[in-house]
């Protein structure tokens, strides 16, 4: 960090945050102490006042703010710990931006790191969780690129208490830190003392293990990033879409890593994505439910369509993940051109015959097909299916099949079938849009002219 630029330091007034501002100040940094009042304790306002007095005693600028944690956790169905953390970081990072700070410094120590690793271990986290907290990171959930830095991760709690004593400073005491109703405090006051009866240096060993895993995670991240780049298709405001074949072809560990990263990007507020959750997602991708969708958490869903795996904030929407018509709509296609299908686009254009054959042989296009121009009867129609309707799918050698069975074979969700668009020529279904063509206008060795039909997904809204 640049000593000439402001560093905002999270400042509760306890031994850790007090040591943090002292050490930064001694190192020549321009420090601003920022105190967040959670309004959870009867003496919270008194703590805010005393924290300000401590900062002024050190000659450090002080700023304070607060939030209604009880109301926030009721509205968002969060634990007290998580609700307090979210409000605190939101205010701290917002304040850091307003102050033009180069970073937000927090007073996490080696003891906090050990507790964090054990919390993640007990929740069944993977290597990301077991590597603990990084000494520098950004938290995009709060809409800022200001980094959070942890200068005290190599200091133990007794060292910060000693530093305060040597400096003639009396840190504030938070009585809630002794309460074992909180998960972290139970780890601190019950589990760690118990583990030390097995090995007196267990904290050092856990810290060392986290450091090793963090180093190895750096190496593995390259592999994970390559898998992500290969599988990622697009991101919208409410969903992230991945290539289904790509996901299925990944090794199990990489498959879960890609799915975990999708959650992290779509819902960064979800912490501790454990093994059970990613295992459920991986199993769903390989063996989807009949509906093609599954609820993961209160607001997170996963959906599998014919060529995509999508994660959603909220219940999946049909019109984004599947081509859909308004009920009863019939779209007339008098000639090649671009036609709107309820936000989707159907692009019909004459194409080169040889290019068409090459593309067909590659087998890579599910939303693009080539049909024999001269076998089509214009005007074409695009409509939904009719009860009991049959078609002659390409490849069945003239045999017909019920449209309902065709949808079942392609794993189309039941709720999407009624308004799924079909391209009709005369009395024949020549394309079940996005799925497959019929025999009636398929290209043959006698074909002289071809039309390319392309289905385009709706325009992406701007991210942000």
């Amino acid at each position: 960090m640049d000593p000439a630029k402001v560093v905002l330091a999270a400042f509760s007034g306890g031994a850790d945050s007090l040591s943090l501002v002292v050490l930064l100040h001694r190192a020549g940094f321009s420090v601003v102490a920022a105190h967040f009042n959670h309004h959870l304790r009867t003496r919270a306002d008194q703590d805010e006042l005393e924290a300000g007095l401590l900062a002024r005693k050190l000659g450090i600028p002080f700023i304070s703010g607060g939030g209604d944690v009880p109301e926030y956790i009721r509205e968002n169905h969060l634990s007290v710990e998580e609700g307090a953390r979210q409000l605190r970081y939101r205010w701290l990072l917002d304040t850091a931006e307003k102050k033009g700070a180069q970073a937000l410094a927090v007073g996490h120590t080696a003891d906090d790191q050990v507790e964090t690793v054990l919390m993640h271990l007990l929740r069944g986290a993977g290597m990301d969780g077991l590597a603990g907290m990084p000494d520098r990171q950004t938290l995009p959930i709060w809409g800022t690129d200001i980094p959070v830095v942890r200068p005290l991760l190599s200091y133990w709690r007794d060292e910060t208490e000693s530093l305060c004593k040597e400096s003639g400073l009396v840190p504030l005491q938070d009585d809630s830190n002794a309460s074992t109703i909180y998960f972290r405090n139970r780890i601190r006051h019950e589990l760690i003392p118990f583990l030390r009866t097995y090995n007196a240096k267990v904290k050092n060993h856990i810290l060392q293990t986290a450091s090793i895993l963090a180093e190895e995670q750096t190496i593995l991240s390259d592999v994970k990033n390559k898998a992500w780049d290969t599988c990622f298709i697009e991101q919208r405001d409410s969903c992230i879409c991945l290539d289904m074949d790509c996901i299925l072809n990944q090794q199990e560990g990489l498959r879960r890593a890609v799915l975990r990263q999708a959650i992290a990007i779509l819902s960064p507020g979800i912490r501790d994505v454990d093994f059970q959750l990613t295992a459920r997602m991986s199993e769903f991708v390989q063996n989807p439910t009949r509906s093609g969708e599954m609820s993961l958490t209160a607001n997170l869903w996963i959906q599998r369509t014919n060529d995509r795996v999508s994660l959603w904030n909220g219940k999946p929407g049909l019109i984004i993940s599947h081509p859909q018509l308004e009920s009863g709509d019939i779209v007339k296609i008098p000639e090649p051109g671009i036609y709107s299908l309820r936000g989707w686009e159907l692009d019909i254009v004459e194409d080169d015959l040889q290019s068409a054959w090459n593309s067909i042989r590659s087998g890579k296009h599910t939303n693009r097909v080539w049909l024999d121009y001269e076998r089509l009867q214009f005007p074409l129609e695009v409509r939904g299916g009719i009860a009991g309707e049959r078609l002659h799918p390409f490849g069945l050698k003239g045999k017909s099949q019920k449209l309902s069975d065709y949808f079942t074979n392609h794993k189309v969700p039941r709720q999407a079938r009624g308004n799924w668009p079909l391209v009709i020529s005369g009395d024949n279904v020549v394309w079940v849009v996005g799925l497959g063509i019929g025999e009636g206008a398929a290209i043959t060795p006698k074909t002289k002219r071809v039309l390319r039909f392309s289905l385009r997904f709706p325009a992406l809204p701007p991210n942000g």
Side-chain angles (χ1 to χ4, degrees), residues 38 78 115 127 200 255 305 319 355 389 405 458 460:
H38 299 91
L78 300 169
E115 294 159 9
M127 189 177 290
R255 182 185 303 122
T305 58
I319 193 168
S355 297
E389 189 165 18
D405 292 338
L460 294 180

Side-chain angles (χ1 to χ4, degrees), residues 336-376:
I338 299 176
Y339 298 87
S340 176
L341 304 180
R342 199 182 172 191
W344 295 66
E345 283 186 350
L346 179 61
D347 185 6
I348 306 173
V349 62
E350 188 164 2
D351 202 359
D352 175 71
L353 181 58
Q354 188 57 51
S355 297
W357 278 118
N358 292 340
S359 297
I360 291 170
R361 292 190 187 101
S362 74
K364 293 181 179 179
H365 302 286
T366 57
N367 294 311
R368 185 182 302 172
V369 298
W370 288 261
L371 299 177
D372 190 318
Y373 200 154
E374 295 175 352
R375 297 179 71 187
L376 293 169

Side-chain angles (χ1 to χ4, degrees), residues 162-339:
S162 295
L163 176 62
C164 291
K165 186 175 182 181
E166 293 166 3
S167 303
L169 299 169
V170 180
L172 303 183
Q173 300 295 325
D174 184 347
D175 295 339
S176 67
N177 286 334
S179 173
T180 53
I181 65 172
Y182 301 117
F183 186 35
R184 180 178 288 275
N185 289 352
R186 289 168 59 200
I187 299 287
R188 180 182 304 169
H189 298 299
E190 296 177 357
L191 180 57
I192 290 177
F194 177 70
L195 292 176
R196 293 184 73 178
T197 65
Y198 285 85
N199 187 323
K201 295 185 177 181
V202 66
K203 292 199 299 183
N204 299 77
H205 296 322
I206 292 173
L207 190 66
Q208 180 182 21
T209 298
S211 178
I212 292 170
L213 291 176
E215 293 171 357
E216 294 182 351
Q217 179 71 344
T218 301
I219 300 171
L220 290 175
S221 65
D222 290 339
V223 178
K224 294 178 181 179
N225 289 338
K226 288 179 181 177
W228 171 262
D229 291 341
T230 304
C231 295
F232 176 77
I233 296 177
E234 64 184 13
Q235 179 179 358
R236 301 167 183 271
D237 286 344
S238 58
C239 73
I240 283 181
C241 301
L242 307 171
D243 184 273
M244 186 182 69
D245 289 337
C246 176
I247 287 285
L248 289 173
N249 289 333
Q250 299 297 324
Q251 295 179 346
E252 179 63 21
L254 277 177
R255 182 185 303 122
R256 292 200 303 268
V258 170
L259 294 170
R260 189 183 301 113
Q261 185 164 345
I263 292 178
I265 295 173
L266 183 65
S267 300
I270 298 179
R271 304 176 70 209
D272 303 319
V273 178
D274 60 19
F275 175 83
Q276 284 75 21
L277 181 59
T278 55
R280 283 179 62 209
M281 295 167 69
S282 179
E283 174 61 24
F284 170 85
V285 170
Q286 298 171 82
N287 299 290
T289 59
R290 192 172 182 180
S291 67
E293 57 190 43
M294 180 175 69
S295 174
L296 298 171
T297 66
N299 199 47
L300 187 67
W301 289 70
I302 187 170
Q303 178 188 51
R304 176 176 151 168
T305 58
N306 58 308
D307 63 347
R308 292 185 171 204
V309 173
S310 303
L311 270 75
W312 289 79
N313 268 329
K315 191 171 175 61
L318 287 178
I319 193 168
I320 294 180
S321 57
H322 305 289
Q324 293 285 288
L325 297 169
E326 292 285 359
S327 182
D329 267 6
I330 298 177
V331 179
K332 295 289 186 179
I333 309 291
E335 61 186 3
I338 299 176
Y339 298 87

Side-chain angles (χ1 to χ4, degrees), residues 120-134:
H120 290 168
L121 177 64
L122 293 177
R123 288 169 174 161
M127 189 177 290
D128 289 335
L130 299 182
M133 299 176 286

Side-chain angles (χ1 to χ4, degrees), residues 376-429:
L376 293 169
Q377 299 178 36
F378 282 90
L380 305 176
E381 287 185 352
V382 181
R383 60 165 173 78
I386 299 171
E389 189 165 18
R390 303 182 73 89
L391 70 156
H392 294 80
F394 180 75
L396 288 190
K397 299 179 180 179
K399 295 180 180 178
S400 69
Q401 184 179 42
K402 286 184 179 180
L403 181 60
S404 58
D405 292 338
Y406 186 84
F407 281 141
T408 298
N409 292 343
H410 284 80
K411 297 182 172 58
V412 174
R414 287 184 176 274
Q415 63 270 32
R417 298 178 184 182
N419 294 316
W420 195 283
L422 311 175
V423 177
I424 308 297
S425 173
D427 296 324
N428 297 316
V429 176

Side-chain angles (χ1 to χ4, degrees), residues 429-455:
V429 176
V430 293
W431 187 27
V432 182
V433 173
L435 300 179
I437 65 172
E439 292 275 8
I443 294 175
T444 71
K446 296 181 180 180
T447 297
K448 297 178 181 179
R449 299 174 66 192
V450 294
L451 284 181
R452 184 184 70 225
F453 289 67
S454 301
L455 179 67

